[in-house]
Amino acid sequence: MIIDTVAVWKEKLRKHAVNGQWFSEAAPEIYRDIQKGLRQIPQKREEFTGVLIATEPFLPTLGQLQPWRDLMVNAINVTSNSKNLALRCEIMIATGNMYAMYGDFERAEELFIKACDLAYENNLPRQVINSYIGMMNLSLNTYQRITYQDLPALLDYHPELRDSMMTGKLYLAIANACKQWAQFQTANDYAKMAYVYWLRQNNYVEVGRSAKILTITSIYLRNFSEAESWLEIAEQCYSKTDYIWQYSEILYLKGQLANEHQNFDESLEYLQKALEEFKKLDDPNKHAVAYHAIAQAHIHKRQFEQAEANLAQADDIAQKTNNTFQRLHILHTNAYMNAKRDRRQDSLEQIKVGLEVLSSLQNETQFQMLQQKFEELQQMIINDDPQLS
């Protein structure tokens, strides 16, 4: 009977914690049981909501996520009056993670903040920490609740409640947030700590994610040999999983590394393949990132019409998704391209627009970094810098 399956599924999900193939095969049956369970009496709804929360780490192994997102939204609704406040927080956090998989970062952040507020008000520190982990795993141009300067306070917040798994998740989330804040050395340090933890747990999805962040931070730190080593590790680890994002992420990073080595034909080949893989996923932000990277490779090859077309695609997505940080990078690339094309006045106009858009960026570190990039390009144009010829 349906009421007997809660304990069974929880035990199986625990037993097969890193077995994506098992979950892919069991998912239809689990989904049906949860769907039925959410129609039961309030106690049963809460129990099946607990099962649904336990499925969240497995969901990146599935291609069709929309039904699971709808199921989570339904679980939030049917438990909205539950006295189990920790459960209400956790289903909001799990649903926020699901929205993040779709690249709907604003809606995800709204849920994380709502869960955080509920947890704070009711003295639920574990759920407070989990909500911050969710927030920091987002790829946002701004975080409403946390800045780089807040990290020491977060690390000092109830450390006795963090088991080793929560600590691993927290370190990886901090690494991701620091990457967004352009604090690349700090991101590198925390990603290494997360990598060691997840490697000991044989959780190759999280090991791969850690190595992916280490690849990115190593590129920004201009340590390309280290970036190549981490990328190889990420590819090897992802190959041991059923993580469906693995191909697009690895292809994109290979394209970025080829670009850094000025192998622009190779870069374009990898980035075009990455875009094809990204288009299979419901994350428009990744599409924009790929279009932008492809445009940059075309600029290096002085293929300006192709670059212009890809930048237009990227900018259209960035505006539709309200991703200010991404749009600023696109505007800067557009201005740089027009300077290279000897369209200096158009370039200066785009710099002006970029600086106006920049005023809405709330993150101080990113603001300063991008302001410097725009002002340096502006000065290069004024000085007729030979690098723009």
Side-chain angles (χ1 to χ4, degrees):
M1 292 179 63
I2 190 70
I3 58 173
D4 297 326
T5 60
V6 171
V8 172
W9 285 130
K10 281 192 172 183
E11 173 58 23
K12 287 185 176 181
L13 288 164
R14 184 197 63 78
K15 181 179 179 181
H16 297 282
V18 294
N19 190 338
Q21 183 177 353
W22 168 83
F23 182 77
S24 297
E25 295 170 356
E29 189 177 354
I30 299 173
Y31 180 91
R32 284 194 300 271
D33 278 2
I34 295 173
Q35 189 177 46
K36 293 176 183 177
L38 293 177
R39 302 186 191 126
Q40 305 300 309
I41 61 174
Q43 181 183 347
K44 284 292 139 189
R45 293 177 194 167
E46 293 180 10
E47 290 177 4
F48 277 96
T49 297
V51 177
L52 180 57
I53 291 167
T55 67
E56 187 259 318
F58 293 88
L59 297 181
T61 65
L62 301 180
Q64 295 297 320
L65 295 176
Q66 180 72 42
W68 290 85
R69 187 180 68 175
D70 293 343
L71 199 61
M72 286 187 173
V73 172
N74 184 38
I76 291 176
N77 293 333
V78 300
T79 60
S80 60
N81 295 318
S82 171
K83 293 181 180 180
N84 188 340
L85 301 181
L87 180 76
R88 286 171 56 189
C89 290
E90 291 296 346
I91 188 57
M92 284 190 281
I93 292 166
T95 309
N97 290 332
M98 172 66 79
Y99 276 117
M101 292 181 203
Y102 282 89
D104 193 343
F105 302 133
E106 290 187 355
R107 195 171 299 181
E109 189 180 37
E110 288 174 8
L111 281 168
F112 294 140
I113 289 173
K114 189 174 180 180
C116 189
D117 287 342
L118 183 62
Y120 262 130
E121 291 166 6
N122 293 278
N123 193 28
L124 299 168
R126 287 186 63 85
Q127 283 66 42
V128 170
I129 296 169
N130 282 335
S131 65
Y132 273 104
I133 288 172
M135 290 179 211
M136 291 188 296
N137 274 324
L138 297 176
S139 296
L140 283 178
N141 59 287
T142 177
Y143 295 88
Q144 295 184 38
R145 285 297 181 89
I146 189 166
T147 67
Y148 180 68
Q149 290 72 26
D150 295 325
L151 289 182
L154 178 60
L155 288 164
D156 286 341
Y157 180 74
H158 290 285
E160 76 284 355
L161 295 179
R162 294 201 310 259
D163 56 22
S164 57
M165 182 173 289
M166 181 181 279
T167 299
K169 290 180 179 179
L170 180 61
Y171 285 169
L172 190 54
I174 289 173
N176 188 73
C178 286
K179 172 173 64 70
Q180 293 300 116
W181 290 322
Q183 298 289 342
F184 300 117
Q185 187 57 60
T186 306
N188 193 275
D189 294 342
Y190 276 96
K192 283 180 179 176
M193 288 190 284
Y195 172 82
V196 170
Y197 169 75
W198 293 116
L199 189 62
R200 289 172 179 166
Q201 300 297 312
N202 293 321
N203 188 324
Y204 290 105
V205 169
E206 301 300 339
V207 174
R209 285 174 175 160
S210 303
K212 180 193 73 174
I213 292 179
L214 285 163
T215 303
I216 296 167
T217 55
S218 296
I219 290 173
Y220 277 110
L221 293 169
R222 316 304 292 175
N223 192 337
F224 299 127
S225 61
E226 193 166 303
E228 289 168 357
S229 297
W230 284 118
L231 180 55
E232 185 177 348
I233 291 171
E235 186 171 20
Q236 289 173 352
C237 291
Y238 278 155
S239 69
K240 299 177 183 179
T241 75
D242 299 291
Y243 181 53
I244 63 171
W245 278 268
Q246 59 175 294
Y247 307 109
S248 52
E249 291 182 353
I250 296 300
L251 287 165
Y252 175 78
L253 289 173
K254 285 183 175 180
Q256 290 294 77
L257 268 172
N259 185 64
E260 294 292 346
H261 290 305
Q262 299 188 0
N263 297 328
F264 302 122
D265 288 330
E266 183 182 348
S267 176
L268 272 173
E269 185 178 349
Y270 279 127
L271 292 170
Q272 291 283 7
K273 289 179 181 177
L275 178 60
E276 291 172 13
E277 291 294 327
F278 281 141
K279 285 182 176 179
K280 298 175 184 178
L281 310 174
D282 297 317
D283 187 345
N285 289 285
K286 286 187 170 64
H287 304 173
V289 167
Y291 278 122
H292 185 199
I294 290 167
Q296 289 174 313
H298 279 301
I299 291 170
H300 286 300
K301 289 170 63 66
R302 302 191 70 83
Q303 297 172 338
F304 297 124
E305 290 186 3
Q306 295 96 318
E308 192 171 28
N310 280 282
L311 283 173
Q313 292 269 28
D315 190 52
D316 183 60
I317 296 169
Q319 291 195 61
K320 286 179 179 177
T321 58
N322 198 29
N323 192 329
T324 306
F325 187 57
Q326 179 65 24
R327 183 158 190 247
L328 285 162
H329 278 287
I330 294 164
L331 284 166
H332 181 272
T333 301
N334 229 325
Y336 175 78
M337 177 184 67
N338 279 318
K340 295 279 284 186
R341 298 173 84 175
D342 203 25
R343 298 179 178 179
R344 303 297 169 90
Q345 193 55 46
D346 289 342
S347 181
L348 289 170
E349 284 296 320
Q350 285 162 340
I351 290 172
K352 182 181 177 181
V353 172
L355 291 170
E356 289 171 356
V357 174
L358 184 63
S359 64
S360 66
L361 194 64
Q362 298 178 32
N363 185 278
E364 185 63 27
T365 302
Q366 292 177 341
F367 180 93
Q368 291 174 357
M369 177 186 69
L370 285 164
Q371 183 181 48
Q372 181 179 352
K373 283 170 68 74
F374 278 112
E375 289 177 349
E376 284 178 353
L377 179 56
Q378 188 176 48
Q379 202 60 45
M380 288 172 72
I381 294 170
I382 293 169
N383 294 337
D384 198 21
D385 193 303
Q387 292 183 61
L388 297 177
S389 60

